[in-house]
Amino acid sequence: ATAGSEPSWFGMALTVRENGRVKRAELVNFLEEKKIATRHLFGGNLSRQPAYSKIKMRKIGSLTNSDRIMNDSFVIGVYPGISEMAIQYILDSFRQFFKFK
């Protein structure tokens, strides 16, 4: 962890580049095939979730960044006891994926 930061102990959030060569679904599918668990970033833009459609809320602007997080971000699981071997496997899997991009 960098000085002054308190990173999540359960997951690392990643966002694919906007208009990049890589699509989130493509990368997530690859990682899942490698048995690297992923999850979408919680509810994303909650103002677009059906469960909130009838709830009065205040929105300022178009929430473009919220949509970007909802559509282009995901989390890979981590925990304090992750082994160096597991970390290397994850890194090698990312390298393998991006080698062909």
Side-chain angles (χ1 to χ4, degrees):
T2 56
S5 69
E6 292 185 36
S8 169
W9 59 268
F10 65 88
M12 173 181 276
L14 302 165
T15 303
V16 297
R17 290 186 180 180
E18 194 170 20
N19 302 317
R21 296 177 292 172
V22 174
K23 301 298 178 209
R24 178 183 68 181
E26 181 182 28
L27 178 53
V28 163
N29 289 338
F30 178 84
L31 294 172
E32 291 284 342
E33 287 173 7
K34 296 283 190 178
K35 306 296 184 212
I36 299 170
T38 67
R39 299 290 180 269
H40 286 184
L41 194 58
F42 306 105
N45 183 347
L46 294 179
S47 71
R48 301 209 190 283
Q49 300 300 325
Y52 290 84
S53 65
K54 303 223 186 303
I55 294 175
K56 185 178 177 179
M57 64 181 82
R58 184 179 77 145
K59 273 186 3 181
I60 298 174
S62 64
L63 301 179
T64 302
N65 289 333
S66 297
D67 286 335
R68 178 148 156 60
I69 297 300
M70 181 176 65
N71 295 320
D72 296 333
S73 295
F74 66 99
V75 175
I76 60 170
V78 296
Y79 72 104
I82 192 168
S83 70
E84 186 62 35
M85 189 167 76
I87 292 169
Q88 286 307 310
Y89 177 77
I90 293 168
L91 291 172
D92 289 343
S93 296
F94 273 95
R95 286 184 192 106
Q96 183 182 0
F97 178 83
F98 285 105
K99 181 178 181 179
F100 300 104
K101 291 294 162 190

